[in-house]
Amino acid sequence: MNNTDIQLDIKKAENSRIDQVDFSNLQFGKINADHMMYCDYIDGAWQTPQIVPYGPMEIEPSAKVFHYGQAVFEGMKAFKDEEDQVWLFRPEQNFERINTSSKRLAIPEFPKDHFFTSLTTLLEMDKDWIKKGEGNSLYIRPFVIATENGVSASESNRYRFMIITCPAQAYYNKPIKVIFAQEYSRAADGGVGYAKAAGNYGAQFYPTKLAKAKGLDQIIWTDASSHEYLEEAGTMNIFFRVGDKLLTAPTNDRILDGVTRKSIIQLAKDTNVDVVVEKVSVKEIVNAAKNGELKEIFGAGTAATVVRVDGFEYDGTYYDLPTIDEPYGTFFKKSLQDIQYNKVKDPHGWTVKAF
């Protein structure tokens, strides 16, 4: 992945902060590694990528990101195996998706060679922050923001692409409880729901806050027009097991094309699990819960990997899910992590050695 023809400007941190970190007690996303990358878009071109010590940056209050929300991001992870080799999981998918998101928000696409040369260099500089062991990883957050000054309502002509990283463990350390959306919507037809636009997530916080006040953790969003079909959760794509059949919604312009989601679909096909990608109706899942056919619900995403749903609320009624032997969610989580940590042969070529 590393294109040595791309030049980087690098300024190393004088002292590492790694000795100040308790890696056995990490709060997701709160601690950042020693360095970060940024690259500015000026006069119609991306400039030389810079790798500098992690820290604050100056930006004008009139920068358009603050006023019109031109901002998109990605989520990736780096994993270290027992031989201290560092691996990325399907990184091309993340690169392509951040450019898809950027295009939807009128942000210039970022060059592939800039992205991968910067990323691998950054990871090698901060390799000690990538810890071995199941559940440990370095979370990678690429993002781009509009930096042109001025509050006129138009697309920016300046941008900053950045990559920051943070050591991570499990995003969820226990099963979660969810509510099926009946009032609020995550995204609408023709909108930006398929993009990892910052505003998509900001708009979810208030309805999620209401759900948490009821003792629930997340929302499973339904289609905006009828609220009849289940689509995705706040931080994850979502799967339903009815009998031995695994159901998940197809992607569309409201649903994020999740990397973990598509990986689980492929693993299901590899292991002869009957996986059906089609609209999943609220009515079908509620009826399956009532008659005992709903065996499990689990979420899938880069940060969460796979997380079990204990139960869901719909129309004022809460439905507990059963505890079953050999759940699909547990199987797929282990299968994915074994590939990500280079414990088993990767039959699909998903893992890429960073160094």
Side-chain angles (χ1 to χ4, degrees), residues 135 155 239 269:
E155 67 190 79
F239 288 83
K269 293 176 180 178

Side-chain angles (χ1 to χ4, degrees), residues 228-231 238 240 247-250 276 278-285:
E228 293 179 3
Y229 295 97
L230 296 156
E231 298 199 327
I238 203 79
F240 306 87
L247 310 176
T248 194
V276 178
E278 61 183 25
K279 287 184 175 182
V280 181
S281 73
V282 173
K283 183 178 179 180
E284 176 183 9
I285 298 304

Side-chain angles (χ1 to χ4, degrees), residues 33-52:
D34 287 323
H35 297 90
M36 64 184 186
M37 183 279 274
Y38 74 89
C39 183
D40 289 324
Y41 182 87
I42 302 172
D43 295 331
W46 290 103
Q47 307 299 301
T48 300
Q50 316 280 320
I51 295 180
V52 299

Side-chain angles (χ1 to χ4, degrees), residues 6 37 39 46-47 49 110-119:
I6 299 302
M37 183 279 274
C39 183
W46 290 103
Q47 307 299 301
F110 197 63
K112 184 176 182 178
D113 46 10
H114 282 45
F115 181 83
F116 282 109
T117 300
S118 299
L119 176 58

Side-chain angles (χ1 to χ4, degrees), residues 279-346:
K279 287 184 175 182
V280 181
S281 73
V282 173
K283 183 178 179 180
E284 176 183 9
I285 298 304
V286 170
N287 287 340
K290 289 178 178 178
N291 63 29
E293 292 184 349
L294 182 62
K295 303 301 183 184
E296 58 184 306
I297 302 174
F298 58 88
T302 297
T305 308
V306 175
V307 60
R308 168 183 159 82
V309 174
D310 259 352
F312 68 90
E313 179 181 314
Y314 176 71
D315 211 16
T317 300
Y318 185 81
Y319 299 87
D320 278 307
L321 293 181
T323 300
I324 60 173
D325 295 330
E326 300 181 352
Y328 285 172
T330 301
F331 171 76
F332 289 128
K333 182 176 183 177
K334 184 179 187 305
S335 298
L336 275 175
Q337 291 187 331
D338 283 350
I339 293 172
Q340 291 168 337
Y341 289 99
N342 195 34
K343 291 182 177 181
V344 299
K345 184 178 179 180
D346 174 7

